[in-house]
């Protein structure tokens, strides 16, 4: 249209890495978390399947656990929980990354909006291990108690200073997210006004970054972004950035 223009850009990418061999040939290096045929950044741990409930006391005891503690899967069904039951839970690499940008102009106004979608992959959130560092404040979780027989988090235990028995299994989350990365609104001052001040051009703008995002897990409830902090999502909240400025050409 004479006074209106709209342009859209769409981009999708996929990146897969795979270990084909190691210094010791085709044997897995469990110590470093490297496995043949897998991504280099995988999460290798026990698989949490719930919390031991009151009616499972005898079965829990047979695994060396008690009611209210984390229940992990006995993968090889040998009646024991040991290193043989650890498995690859997922990897950090997204299945696909998509970007959508829109640019609008109407007379002297311009507007730019950009979204990004990261679909698939996993992240680890150390802050979700409820026993870690008992001397510090922690998030409020849905802890198991006799009157609240949840399968989310184990019963509180003040004796734990580390992550607690199998506590690391509580940290893994799907990292899929959709975010608005850029929102920028600008106004170009008309030539008639600029000529009075002997300017070639002038534009006022207001922009914001990371204004909104959605993620599949409860990370959003704590204002944490899955892509903030690399393989381990940082405990610090995601930040928004606002910029207001004036571009002037003499």
């Amino acid at each position: 249209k004479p006074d209106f223009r709209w342009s859209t850009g769409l981009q999708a990418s996929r990146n897969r890495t795979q270990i084909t061999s190691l210094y010791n040939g085709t044997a897995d290096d469990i110590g470093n978390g490297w496995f043949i045929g897998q991504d280099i950044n995988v999460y290798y741990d026990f698989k949490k399947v719930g919390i031991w409930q009151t009616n499972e006391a005898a079965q829990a005891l047979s695994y060396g656990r008690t009611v209210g503690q984390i229940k992990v899967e006995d993968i090889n069904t040998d009646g024991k929980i040991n290193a043989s039951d650890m498995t690859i839970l997922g990897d950090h690499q997204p299945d696909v990354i998509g970007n959508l940008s829109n640019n609008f102009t109407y007379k002297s106004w311009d507007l730019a909006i950009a979204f990004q979608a990261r679909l698939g992959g996993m992240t680890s959130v150390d802050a979700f291990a409820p026993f870690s560092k008992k001397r510090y404040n922690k998030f409020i979780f849905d802890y198991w108690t006799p009157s609240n027989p949840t399968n989310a988090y184990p019963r509180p235990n003040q004796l734990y200073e580390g992550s607690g028995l199998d506590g690391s299994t509580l940290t893994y989350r799907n990292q899929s997210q959709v975010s608005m990365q850029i929102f920028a609104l600008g106004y170009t001052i008309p030539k008639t006004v600029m000529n009075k001040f002997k300017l070639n051009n002038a534009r006022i703008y207001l922009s914001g970054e990371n204004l909104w995002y959605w993620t599949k897990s409860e990370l959003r409830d704590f204002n944490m972004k899955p892509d903030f902090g690399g393989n381990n999502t940082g405990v610090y909240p995601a930040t928004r950035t606002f910029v207001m400025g004036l571009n002037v050409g003499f």
Side-chain angles (χ1 to χ4, degrees):
K1 301 296 183 180
D3 295 325
F4 177 76
R5 181 175 180 177
W6 174 11
S7 62
T8 297
L10 177 63
Q11 181 187 59
S13 62
R14 175 181 170 87
N15 180 42
R16 306 308 299 166
T17 61
Q18 186 182 88
I19 298 176
T20 58
S21 64
L22 295 168
Y23 55 90
N24 56 353
T26 57
D28 295 333
D29 184 346
I30 297 178
N32 283 312
W34 297 337
F35 301 89
I36 302 297
Q38 299 291 333
D39 188 274
I40 195 171
N41 293 311
V42 299
Y43 296 100
Y44 182 71
D45 205 340
F46 296 107
K47 182 179 181 181
K48 175 180 174 287
V49 292
I51 303 297
W52 289 108
Q53 302 298 327
T54 304
N55 60 355
E56 301 173 309
Q59 186 182 4
L61 185 61
S62 70
Y63 284 107
R65 270 66 172 171
T66 60
V67 171
Q69 290 184 328
I70 298 170
K71 182 198 296 187
V72 298
E73 185 175 358
D74 180 9
I75 290 180
N76 59 7
T77 64
D78 64 351
K80 303 175 183 178
I81 297 296
N82 50 40
S84 299
D85 296 303
M86 297 180 70
T87 186
I88 296 174
L89 301 175
D91 61 69
H92 185 65
Q93 185 70 41
D95 296 330
V96 64
I97 299 176
N99 294 279
L100 175 65
S101 61
N102 285 281
N103 292 277
F104 306 90
T105 58
Y106 177 70
K107 295 184 178 181
S108 297
W109 293 91
D110 60 88
L111 174 65
I113 306 175
F115 293 89
Q116 184 186 78
R118 295 167 58 94
L119 306 178
M122 180 180 285
T123 187
S124 177
V125 187
D126 290 341
F128 284 177
F131 298 131
S132 63
K133 298 180 181 178
K134 67 182 181 182
R135 294 168 294 173
Y136 301 93
N137 290 333
K138 298 296 295 182
F139 295 126
I140 297 176
F141 294 114
D142 183 20
Y143 290 109
W144 184 96
T145 67
S147 60
N148 183 49
T150 178
N151 276 296
Y153 287 87
R155 70 170 189 259
N157 190 328
Q158 66 175 351
L159 299 180
Y160 285 122
E161 173 62 20
S163 62
L165 186 62
D166 305 320
S168 61
T169 63
L170 300 167
T171 66
Y172 306 110
R173 296 294 187 279
N174 185 298
Q175 70 165 353
S176 296
Q177 65 169 312
V178 177
S179 61
M180 178 190 291
Q181 293 194 307
I182 297 175
F183 182 94
L185 177 65
Y187 177 75
T188 300
I189 298 175
K191 286 284 186 181
T192 54
V193 177
M194 291 188 292
N195 291 337
K196 295 180 181 180
F197 297 93
K198 297 182 180 181
L199 300 176
N200 289 330
N201 56 74
R203 176 176 173 269
I204 302 172
Y205 66 91
L206 174 65
S207 66
E209 296 182 7
N210 193 33
L211 299 182
W212 170 87
Y213 69 94
W214 170 89
T215 185
K216 190 174 183 178
S217 74
E218 75 273 32
L219 284 170
R220 186 64 185 88
D221 298 337
F222 299 106
N223 197 32
M224 294 188 292
K225 287 192 69 178
D227 60 347
F228 182 68
N231 291 0
N232 294 287
T233 297
V235 66
Y236 297 104
T239 58
R240 297 183 180 93
T241 301
F242 296 93
V243 176
M244 186 174 186
L246 172 66
N247 292 331
V248 178
F250 295 95

